[in-house]
């Protein structure tokens, strides 16, 4: 029995997160299986979200949740990350997937598989590290396929905790997650600003939604729910990151 709930966007264009499961469901909290392309950084970040926000907040009404990361020791290519998370959830809970542009050639297939399985996609171009950087500062300018050098350089200078962030030390220890705390709203704002800067021209942050596409749920229509135009190819969204959609969905940040 799925715990996924959809929400409606109001006339002002506010993005509303999906509603928490109703009382008739056996789950007392939202359970999200999240596939990770990477083996360390994304996994550590999801564990941080569980630890910091998973218990909910009675004062704000933010409901509790549990994220179940799905990963492989040596990483997963995007399409396999989708397959792995769908198999792990077994149709019982929400499925999400995090993957990057990097040098992957199966990204269109991954988006198609996500659309077929009703899996939410958080796609980052050029990398997940862009999402981390946006906690500290805005960012702009096309990076080119698989080019992550500039993002990493900026991130290492953004805070002392990230000074040595690079292979093989790309994990998010307590020091690195501590400096992200209370900067989530800034990261969401910076990520959404990138939608408005997209060269396609018809991409607007206010168009973002968690609703199912009205006229079918093709990969293009579902990929457009971050605010990009339907015909704006994900591979051309440089730079961009949709990780903000996960935080809004969980109620950690309101927009």
């Amino acid at each position: 029995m799925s715990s996924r709930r959809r929400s409606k966007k109001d006339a002002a264009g506010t993005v509303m997160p999906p509603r928490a499961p109703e009382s008739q469901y056996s789950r007392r909290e939202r359970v999200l299986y999240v596939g990770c392309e990477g083996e360390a950084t994304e996994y550590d970040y999801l564990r941080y979200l569980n630890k910091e926000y998973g218990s909910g907040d009675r004062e704000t009404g933010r409901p509790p949740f549990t994220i179940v990361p799905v990963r492989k020791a040596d990483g997963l290519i995007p399409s396999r990350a989708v397959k792995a998370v769908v198999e792990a959830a077994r149709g019982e809970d929400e499925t999400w997937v995090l993957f990057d542009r990097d040098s992957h050639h199966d990204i269109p297939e991954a988006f198609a598989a996500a659309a077929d399985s009703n899996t939410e996609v958080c796609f980052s171009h050029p990398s997940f590290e862009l999402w981390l950087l946006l906690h500290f500062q805005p960012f702009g300018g096309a990076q080119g396929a698989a080019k992550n050098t500039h993002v990493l350089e900026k991130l290492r200078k953004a805070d002392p905790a990230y000074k040595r962030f690079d292979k093989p030390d790309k994990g998010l220890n307590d020091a690195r997650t501590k400096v992200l705390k209370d900067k989530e709203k800034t990261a969401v704002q910076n990520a959404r600003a990138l939608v408005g800067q997209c060269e396609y021209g018809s991409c607007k942050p206010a168009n973002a939604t968690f609703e199912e596409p009205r006229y079918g749920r093709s990969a293009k229509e579902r990929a457009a729910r971050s605010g990009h135009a339907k015909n704006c190819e994900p591979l051309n969204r440089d730079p961009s990151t949709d990780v903000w959609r996960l935080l809004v969905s969980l109620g950690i940040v309101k927009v």
Side-chain angles (χ1 to χ4, degrees):
M1 185 177 295
S2 175
S3 61
R4 184 181 289 105
R5 279 291 180 269
R6 306 186 185 103
S7 60
K8 296 183 178 180
K9 184 178 66 175
D10 64 21
T14 301
V15 180
M16 300 296 290
R19 291 177 294 175
E22 303 292 350
S23 59
Q24 69 265 29
Y25 283 77
S26 59
R27 303 282 190 186
R28 296 187 62 184
E29 61 184 35
R30 285 180 67 185
V31 178
L32 303 84
Y33 281 74
V34 183
C36 305
E37 170 211 333
E39 61 178 310
T41 314
E42 294 94 330
Y43 174 79
D44 289 346
Y45 181 73
L46 296 175
R47 292 178 64 211
Y48 158 71
L49 292 182
N50 270 335
K51 179 181 178 181
E52 198 64 48
Y53 299 105
S55 59
D57 188 329
R58 290 186 178 181
E59 291 186 8
T60 64
R62 178 170 52 79
F65 62 83
T66 296
I67 295 175
V68 182
V70 178
R71 65 168 179 168
K72 189 177 180 181
D74 55 351
L76 292 163
I77 63 173
S79 59
R80 291 182 181 175
V82 176
K83 181 180 180 182
V85 76
V86 170
E87 291 178 347
R90 297 182 296 181
E92 295 294 324
D93 296 290
E94 296 181 50
T95 51
W96 292 65
V97 66
L98 306 178
F99 59 80
D100 303 343
R101 172 65 181 95
D102 289 334
S103 56
H104 297 302
H105 300 288
D106 69 329
I107 290 175
E109 290 82 0
F111 270 99
D116 289 341
S117 60
N118 209 28
T119 297
E120 298 282 355
V121 175
C122 292
F123 174 63
S124 297
H125 191 322
S127 66
F128 180 80
E129 285 78 24
L130 172 61
W131 169 247
L132 300 179
L133 176 61
L134 294 179
H135 287 71
F136 305 101
Q137 63 187 65
F139 186 81
Q143 303 301 296
K147 296 294 180 61
N148 195 35
T149 305
H150 194 40
V151 173
L152 289 177
E153 288 176 351
K154 292 281 189 181
L155 180 59
R156 284 192 285 265
K157 295 177 181 178
D159 188 276
Y162 287 87
K163 184 177 181 179
R164 301 184 184 280
F165 185 88
D166 204 351
K167 290 183 179 180
D169 182 19
K170 294 185 73 174
L172 298 182
N173 55 27
D174 288 344
R176 289 173 177 170
T177 56
K178 182 178 180 180
V179 296
L180 299 179
K181 183 71 171 61
D182 297 326
K183 296 183 178 70
E184 286 85 0
K185 185 175 182 179
T186 296
V188 169
Q189 290 174 337
N190 288 334
R192 298 189 74 209
L194 290 176
V195 178
Q197 297 169 20
C198 184
E199 293 183 0
Y200 192 82
S202 298
C203 304
K204 299 178 181 179
N207 290 341
T209 179
F210 284 90
E211 292 180 343
E212 288 291 343
R214 185 175 299 178
Y215 303 108
R217 63 180 208 188
S218 69
K220 282 188 175 181
E221 288 167 321
R222 286 180 60 84
R225 291 192 297 164
S226 59
H228 288 277
K230 184 175 71 173
N231 293 324
C232 178
E233 294 291 341
L235 293 181
N236 294 333
R237 301 172 188 175
D238 179 14
S240 68
T241 178
D242 296 334
V243 181
W244 68 269
R245 298 185 74 250
L246 176 60
L247 274 72
V248 171
S249 175
L250 294 172
I252 296 172
V253 177
K254 295 182 179 181
V255 295

